[in-house]
Amino acid sequence: MTEPTPPTASPPSAPTPARGSSSWRRLARAGAPRSTKAQALGAALALALGFAIATQIQQTQDSGLDSMRQDDLVRVLDDVSQRSSRLDQQVRELQSQRDALTTGANTSQAAIDQATKQLESLRVLAGTAPAQGPGIKVTISDPTQKVTAPMMLDLLQELRDSGAEVVQYGANRVVASSWFSSSGGQIQVDGQPLARPFTVLAIGDKATLASALNIPGGIVETLRRADATAAIEQLDTVRIDALQSPRTPRYAQPVPESGTPTSTPTTK
């Protein structure tokens, strides 16, 4: 009779590593940011670009009057002084008119005279009456035909900003409602073509008008960059005979005075 064989004890098994923690470590290593040469170069370029932008902004802020030449500064100061004197004169005229209307012995006649004078001024501003006075004549030569309608509009804005009261382009009276366009290299004002060389007449303080057009970065410099030249003549008398026909507003209506009954629009 055989004796039973005792059971053989199996050797202890090694501990099994936790699969979950190992997977999380591999995922963390894969998602961790890695410093590459491309990333370092991109960061350096971003820093350089930011520094360049900051420097350019600082230079732009500092390049005001400090960067202008002495003769340019004198011209700007003279232009500002002349504008200030013109505004002071207008204030004195308005104060004199107010005193005549409020304290004069014959206020009714003063009111009539003032209304008549105002009517004549409005006719001149509206372009329905000829005008004359000191001013300038601008002759623009454009051999390469690079002058555009926006440039002619910029010229008009420069003239108005410097106090021009009446302006004429070629044979066309320019008023508040005038507009510029271009077609096939030809510039038009109010639909009428302008012949080259362009001729512009303006009535106002001739010295102020001339200095405003020649200011650094102004319209004369803009025309020069377009291969055009602008000759400016200061004249004691400029006569503008071109007229504009009165235009009836299509949409604008006068606001009724206080107390005037108004009709209430009805809706359907």
Side-chain angles (χ1 to χ4, degrees), residues 50-233:
F51 178 77
I53 293 175
T55 304
Q56 181 65 32
I57 294 175
Q58 183 66 28
Q59 290 178 352
T60 302
Q61 294 176 346
D62 296 340
S63 62
L65 298 177
D66 296 338
S67 62
M68 299 177 64
R69 298 175 300 178
Q70 183 176 1
D71 55 344
D72 295 335
L73 291 173
V74 172
R75 188 182 306 151
V76 171
L77 178 60
D78 184 56
D79 183 31
V80 172
S81 300
Q82 291 177 358
R83 292 187 184 185
S84 177
S85 299
R86 185 172 63 254
L87 292 175
D88 290 340
Q89 178 64 25
Q90 292 178 358
V91 170
R92 288 191 294 269
E93 291 177 356
L94 292 174
Q95 290 175 344
S96 177
Q97 295 170 7
R98 179 201 60 190
D99 295 340
L101 291 173
T102 57
T103 63
N106 191 351
T107 56
S108 297
Q109 185 59 41
I112 293 174
D113 295 340
Q114 180 60 32
T116 302
K117 183 178 179 181
Q118 185 69 15
L119 177 61
E120 293 298 325
S121 299
L122 292 176
R123 291 182 61 204
V124 170
L125 294 177
T128 59
Q132 66 178 9
I136 62 173
K137 176 182 179 181
V138 184
T139 304
I140 301 175
S141 299
D142 181 28
T144 59
Q145 297 190 2
K146 292 183 180 179
V147 176
T148 62
M151 293 180 186
M152 301 300 283
L153 178 59
D154 290 342
L155 172 60
L156 177 61
Q157 296 296 344
E158 292 279 2
L159 292 172
R160 285 175 171 169
D161 291 344
S162 56
E165 298 174 347
V166 185
V167 180
Q168 178 174 318
Y169 275 64
N172 304 278
R173 182 76 164 266
V174 178
V175 294
S177 59
S178 294
W179 50 274
F180 291 83
S181 64
S182 58
S183 177
Q186 186 179 63
I187 300 177
Q188 299 176 347
V189 55
D190 293 335
Q192 301 298 319
L194 295 177
R196 290 179 169 86
F198 306 114
T199 302
V200 180
L201 300 175
I203 295 178
D205 187 285
K206 57 183 181 181
T208 303
L209 296 177
S211 61
L213 299 186
N214 283 301
I215 197 170
I219 187 61
V220 171
E221 185 174 327
T222 300
L223 293 171
R224 189 181 300 116
R225 289 197 296 265
D227 298 330
T229 58
I232 303 174
E233 302 178 58

